[in-house]
Amino acid sequence: MCPVLGHLDGRFESADAEAEHRIAVLYQEFGGPLLRHVRKSTGNDLQWAEDVVQETIVRAWRNSARLQWEPSLIWAWLLTVARRIVIDGRRRKSVRPQEVEPPEVDMMSVPDGSERALSAMVVADALRSLSQEHREVIEQTYLRDRTISEAAEILGIPPGTVKSRLYYGIRALREQLRDKGVAG
Amino acid sequence: MHDGVAAYVLGVLDEEEHEAFERHLDACERCQAELIELAELPEQLDELRNAPSSTSGDDPPMSMSR
Ligand SMILES: [Zn+2]
């Protein structure tokens, strides 16, 4: 399952064996949960998701000071590391024509009856309830795979303003979702 | 600096800023607490990205960009 672990046969120096061991332990602890989460963002592309998990684990091992954090913080950090790797991959995979825009939230049709459709509608509702300024920066960054700088250029406002609006927008979105009972 | 936590958790900072924010995070308990709170919010936003259109339920997320 993990190429990194392919050589636990004593040919390595002890430092390498130690590294292999630490990576194996990280896999054991976080590999499964990470894969379940990452698969959602790779559109169920399992091979891609496994690669992302592997890179996440290796980065975690390289930043071992952060592994001293409390478990909920380690987990939050690992999810963020993995998300970043997915986004990088997505950006590499697609050079999309700038003039073609994805559909607006309102245009997305979702079939009735599935849990996914339900939660997509709840999130869409929450997003619609935000102020225009807040909704806009969420749509123009994360939902379109754009960085703060790229979105700032498109919106014609300073990057610092995008960043700050994103902060308050995301906080407001979280409040909305919490009121709807779908956020912790 | 603290307001970078949202952009960080969404993964939309430039590489340099992303790394700078991680160094800030190492020392900032306030941002650590907010990161924990916000960690799964992007997945909820992904529900919109993944929401299948009525015709192509199994398409990967990129299909929405066309
Ligand atoms: Zn901070």
Side-chain angles (χ1 to χ4, degrees):
Chain A
M1 128 192 140
C2 167
V4 180
L5 303 180
H7 302 285
L8 287 171
D9 56 6
R11 284 180 297 149
F12 282 85
E13 305 279 317
S14 62
D16 288 333
E18 172 71 11
E20 298 276 344
H21 174 70
R22 281 170 188 271
I23 287 173
V25 167
L26 286 171
Y27 249 99
Q28 203 164 12
E29 193 165 351
F30 298 111
L34 271 176
L35 189 61
R36 277 195 294 283
H37 282 260
V38 169
R39 278 184 79 164
K40 292 186 208 162
S41 13
T42 60
N44 269 326
D45 181 333
L46 187 56
Q47 177 61 53
W48 182 14
E50 281 173 349
D51 291 347
V52 169
V53 169
Q54 180 175 324
E55 196 174 335
T56 304
I57 297 280
V58 170
R59 285 197 200 174
W61 166 72
R62 286 205 202 105
N63 290 282
S64 57
R66 296 191 179 120
L67 297 171
Q68 307 304 312
W69 283 340
E70 59 158 311
S72 61
L73 182 57
I74 296 175
W75 176 242
W77 174 60
L78 289 177
L79 280 181
T80 308
V81 169
R83 183 169 308 117
R84 180 75 181 188
I85 294 167
V86 169
I87 291 172
D88 284 348
R90 207 183 269 151
R91 289 167 69 94
R92 264 200 310 276
K93 282 178 191 202
S94 86
V95 179
R96 72 175 57 161
Q98 283 300 318
E99 69 275 17
V100 179
E101 297 282 284
E104 296 297 329
V105 168
D106 291 17
M107 290 166 53
M108 294 177 188
S109 62
V110 285
D112 295 326
S114 82
E115 262 179 54
R116 158 142 291 165
L118 181 64
S119 66
M121 278 190 294
V122 170
V123 178
D125 277 351
L127 200 54
R128 269 192 292 264
S129 74
L130 302 186
S131 72
Q132 154 83 20
E133 283 187 350
H134 287 166
R135 185 173 58 248
E136 176 178 78
V137 291
I138 295 172
E139 286 175 347
Q140 293 295 333
T141 57
Y142 187 68
L143 290 175
R144 296 205 172 140
D145 297 326
R146 290 193 189 117
T147 62
I148 295 270
S149 324
E150 290 164 346
E153 204 164 309
I154 286 161
L155 293 169
I157 53 180
T161 307
V162 177
K163 198 193 286 186
S164 153
R165 281 185 193 170
L166 197 52
Y167 175 78
Y168 292 103
I170 284 293
R171 301 261 13 147
L173 183 65
R174 184 182 146 76
E175 290 306 309
Q176 283 293 325
L177 290 172
R178 190 155 52 185
D179 289 349
K180 293 170 195 286
V182 292
Chain B
M1 192 74 208
H2 302 302
D3 66 2
V5 69
Y8 172 72
V9 80
L10 293 172
V12 297
L13 291 170
D14 296 334
E15 191 63 34
E16 211 169 287
E17 279 189 290
H18 185 84
E19 283 167 18
F21 186 82
E22 262 188 350
R23 288 191 296 275
H24 171 80
L25 185 68
D26 282 336
C28 182
E29 285 186 17
R30 170 180 159 180
C31 285
Q32 291 178 1
E34 289 203 271
L35 178 63
I36 291 169
E37 278 182 32
L38 297 176
E40 299 196 5
L41 190 91
E43 285 177 18
Q44 294 183 292
L45 281 171
D46 284 340
E47 299 288 350
L48 296 180
R49 201 192 280 277
N50 295 334
S53 75
S54 48
T55 50
S56 52
D58 290 321
D59 276 5
M62 286 321 299
S63 66
M64 286 191 26
S65 67
R66 281 183 285 105

